[in-house]
Short mmCIF file of all heavy atoms in Angstrom, two decimals:
data_model
loop_
_atom_site.label_atom_id
_atom_site.label_comp_id
_atom_site.label_asym_id
_atom_site.label_seq_id
_atom_site.Cartn_x
_atom_site.Cartn_y
_atom_site.Cartn_z
N THR T 399 7.56 -4.38 19.23
CA THR T 399 8.40 -3.58 18.34
C THR T 399 9.83 -4.12 18.31
O THR T 399 10.71 -3.49 17.73
CB THR T 399 8.41 -2.10 18.79
OG1 THR T 399 8.88 -2.04 20.14
CG2 THR T 399 7.01 -1.51 18.72
N LYS T 400 10.03 -5.27 18.97
CA LYS T 400 11.34 -5.94 18.92
C LYS T 400 11.12 -7.33 18.31
O LYS T 400 10.01 -7.86 18.35
CB LYS T 400 11.94 -6.07 20.32
CG LYS T 400 12.39 -4.74 20.94
CD LYS T 400 11.29 -4.10 21.76
CE LYS T 400 11.61 -2.62 22.07
NZ LYS T 400 10.44 -1.95 22.71
N PRO T 401 12.18 -7.98 17.81
CA PRO T 401 11.98 -9.29 17.16
C PRO T 401 11.45 -10.33 18.16
O PRO T 401 11.96 -10.45 19.28
CB PRO T 401 13.40 -9.69 16.70
CG PRO T 401 14.19 -8.42 16.69
CD PRO T 401 13.59 -7.53 17.74
N SER T 402 10.42 -11.08 17.76
CA SER T 402 9.89 -12.11 18.66
C SER T 402 10.96 -13.17 18.90
O SER T 402 10.97 -13.83 19.95
CB SER T 402 8.61 -12.73 18.10
OG SER T 402 8.85 -13.35 16.86
N SER T 403 11.86 -13.35 17.93
CA SER T 403 12.94 -14.33 18.13
C SER T 403 13.89 -13.88 19.25
O SER T 403 14.48 -14.71 19.95
CB SER T 403 13.73 -14.53 16.83
OG SER T 403 14.23 -13.30 16.36
N PHE T 404 14.04 -12.56 19.45
CA PHE T 404 14.82 -12.09 20.59
C PHE T 404 14.16 -12.51 21.89
O PHE T 404 14.80 -13.04 22.81
CB PHE T 404 14.99 -10.56 20.57
CG PHE T 404 15.43 -10.01 21.90
CD1 PHE T 404 16.72 -10.23 22.37
CD2 PHE T 404 14.53 -9.34 22.73
CE1 PHE T 404 17.11 -9.77 23.62
CE2 PHE T 404 14.91 -8.88 23.99
CZ PHE T 404 16.21 -9.10 24.44
N TRP T 405 12.86 -12.30 21.99
CA TRP T 405 12.17 -12.63 23.24
C TRP T 405 12.23 -14.13 23.52
O TRP T 405 12.33 -14.56 24.66
CB TRP T 405 10.71 -12.16 23.20
CG TRP T 405 10.60 -10.66 23.12
CD1 TRP T 405 10.06 -9.93 22.11
CD2 TRP T 405 11.07 -9.71 24.10
NE1 TRP T 405 10.16 -8.58 22.39
CE2 TRP T 405 10.77 -8.42 23.61
CE3 TRP T 405 11.71 -9.83 25.33
CZ2 TRP T 405 11.09 -7.26 24.30
CZ3 TRP T 405 12.02 -8.67 26.02
CH2 TRP T 405 11.72 -7.40 25.51
N GLU T 406 12.15 -14.92 22.45
CA GLU T 406 12.21 -16.37 22.64
C GLU T 406 13.54 -16.76 23.30
O GLU T 406 13.59 -17.54 24.24
CB GLU T 406 12.04 -17.09 21.29
CG GLU T 406 11.91 -18.59 21.44
CD GLU T 406 11.32 -19.25 20.19
OE1 GLU T 406 11.40 -18.65 19.10
OE2 GLU T 406 10.80 -20.35 20.32
N TRP T 407 14.62 -16.15 22.81
CA TRP T 407 15.94 -16.41 23.38
C TRP T 407 16.03 -15.88 24.80
O TRP T 407 16.44 -16.56 25.73
CB TRP T 407 17.01 -15.73 22.49
CG TRP T 407 18.38 -15.78 23.07
CD1 TRP T 407 19.29 -16.80 22.91
CD2 TRP T 407 19.02 -14.79 23.90
NE1 TRP T 407 20.44 -16.50 23.59
CE2 TRP T 407 20.30 -15.28 24.21
CE3 TRP T 407 18.62 -13.55 24.40
CZ2 TRP T 407 21.20 -14.56 25.02
CZ3 TRP T 407 19.50 -12.84 25.20
CH2 TRP T 407 20.79 -13.35 25.49
N PHE T 408 15.59 -14.64 24.98
CA PHE T 408 15.74 -13.92 26.25
C PHE T 408 14.97 -14.61 27.39
O PHE T 408 15.52 -14.86 28.47
CB PHE T 408 15.20 -12.50 26.01
CG PHE T 408 15.15 -11.60 27.21
CD1 PHE T 408 16.29 -10.93 27.64
CD2 PHE T 408 13.96 -11.39 27.89
CE1 PHE T 408 16.24 -10.07 28.72
CE2 PHE T 408 13.90 -10.53 28.98
CZ PHE T 408 15.04 -9.88 29.40
N ILE T 409 13.72 -14.95 27.11
CA ILE T 409 12.89 -15.57 28.16
C ILE T 409 13.45 -16.95 28.52
O ILE T 409 13.53 -17.32 29.69
CB ILE T 409 11.42 -15.64 27.71
CG1 ILE T 409 10.85 -14.22 27.60
CG2 ILE T 409 10.58 -16.48 28.68
CD1 ILE T 409 9.49 -14.13 26.95
N ALA T 410 13.88 -17.70 27.51
CA ALA T 410 14.46 -19.03 27.79
C ALA T 410 15.72 -18.90 28.63
O ALA T 410 15.96 -19.67 29.55
CB ALA T 410 14.76 -19.77 26.47
N GLU T 411 16.54 -17.88 28.32
CA GLU T 411 17.78 -17.68 29.09
C GLU T 411 17.48 -17.33 30.55
O GLU T 411 18.13 -17.83 31.47
CB GLU T 411 18.64 -16.58 28.45
CG GLU T 411 19.34 -17.01 27.18
CD GLU T 411 20.22 -18.23 27.38
OE1 GLU T 411 21.04 -18.26 28.31
OE2 GLU T 411 20.06 -19.19 26.59
N VAL T 412 16.50 -16.49 30.77
CA VAL T 412 16.12 -16.16 32.15
C VAL T 412 15.57 -17.41 32.84
O VAL T 412 15.95 -17.76 33.96
CB VAL T 412 15.08 -15.01 32.19
CG1 VAL T 412 14.54 -14.84 33.60
CG2 VAL T 412 15.73 -13.71 31.70
N HIS T 413 14.68 -18.11 32.14
CA HIS T 413 14.03 -19.28 32.73
C HIS T 413 15.00 -20.43 33.01
O HIS T 413 14.77 -21.26 33.87
CB HIS T 413 12.90 -19.77 31.83
CG HIS T 413 11.61 -19.03 32.06
ND1 HIS T 413 10.56 -19.08 31.19
CD2 HIS T 413 11.21 -18.22 33.09
CE1 HIS T 413 9.56 -18.33 31.66
NE2 HIS T 413 9.93 -17.80 32.80
N ARG T 414 16.07 -20.46 32.25
CA ARG T 414 17.07 -21.51 32.43
C ARG T 414 17.56 -21.53 33.89
O ARG T 414 17.72 -22.59 34.48
CB ARG T 414 18.23 -21.24 31.48
CG ARG T 414 19.11 -22.39 31.19
CD ARG T 414 20.22 -21.96 30.24
NE ARG T 414 19.74 -21.67 28.88
CZ ARG T 414 19.53 -22.60 27.94
NH1 ARG T 414 19.76 -23.86 28.21
NH2 ARG T 414 19.12 -22.26 26.74
N ARG T 415 17.78 -20.32 34.46
CA ARG T 415 18.20 -20.26 35.86
C ARG T 415 17.04 -20.05 36.81
O ARG T 415 17.08 -20.46 37.94
CB ARG T 415 19.19 -19.10 36.06
CG ARG T 415 20.50 -19.27 35.35
CD ARG T 415 21.46 -18.18 35.81
NE ARG T 415 22.59 -18.07 34.92
CZ ARG T 415 23.42 -17.03 34.91
NH1 ARG T 415 23.23 -16.03 35.75
NH2 ARG T 415 24.44 -17.01 34.07
N ARG T 416 16.03 -19.32 36.32
CA ARG T 416 14.95 -18.91 37.22
C ARG T 416 13.59 -19.14 36.55
O ARG T 416 12.96 -18.20 36.04
CB ARG T 416 15.12 -17.42 37.57
CG ARG T 416 16.29 -17.14 38.50
CD ARG T 416 16.02 -17.62 39.93
NE ARG T 416 14.83 -16.98 40.47
CZ ARG T 416 14.84 -15.82 41.12
NH1 ARG T 416 15.97 -15.19 41.35
NH2 ARG T 416 13.72 -15.30 41.58
N PRO T 417 13.12 -20.40 36.57
CA PRO T 417 11.83 -20.70 35.92
C PRO T 417 10.65 -20.01 36.59
O PRO T 417 9.54 -20.02 36.04
CB PRO T 417 11.72 -22.22 36.02
CG PRO T 417 12.62 -22.61 37.15
CD PRO T 417 13.72 -21.60 37.16
N ASP T 418 10.88 -19.42 37.76
CA ASP T 418 9.78 -18.76 38.48
C ASP T 418 9.49 -17.35 37.95
O ASP T 418 8.47 -16.76 38.32
CB ASP T 418 10.11 -18.67 39.97
CG ASP T 418 11.40 -17.87 40.22
OD1 ASP T 418 12.39 -18.09 39.49
OD2 ASP T 418 11.40 -17.01 41.12
N VAL T 419 10.36 -16.81 37.11
CA VAL T 419 10.15 -15.42 36.66
C VAL T 419 8.98 -15.36 35.68
O VAL T 419 8.84 -16.19 34.79
CB VAL T 419 11.44 -14.84 36.04
CG1 VAL T 419 11.17 -13.45 35.46
CG2 VAL T 419 12.54 -14.78 37.09
#
Side-chain angles (χ1 to χ4, degrees):
Chain T
T399 58
K400 290 92 195 172
S402 61
S403 56
F404 163 72
W405 296 117
E406 188 163 22
W407 173 87
F408 176 81
I409 293 170
E411 286 303 309
V412 171
H413 276 165
R414 199 180 291 277
R415 293 190 196 165
R416 289 288 301 272
D418 60 315
V419 175

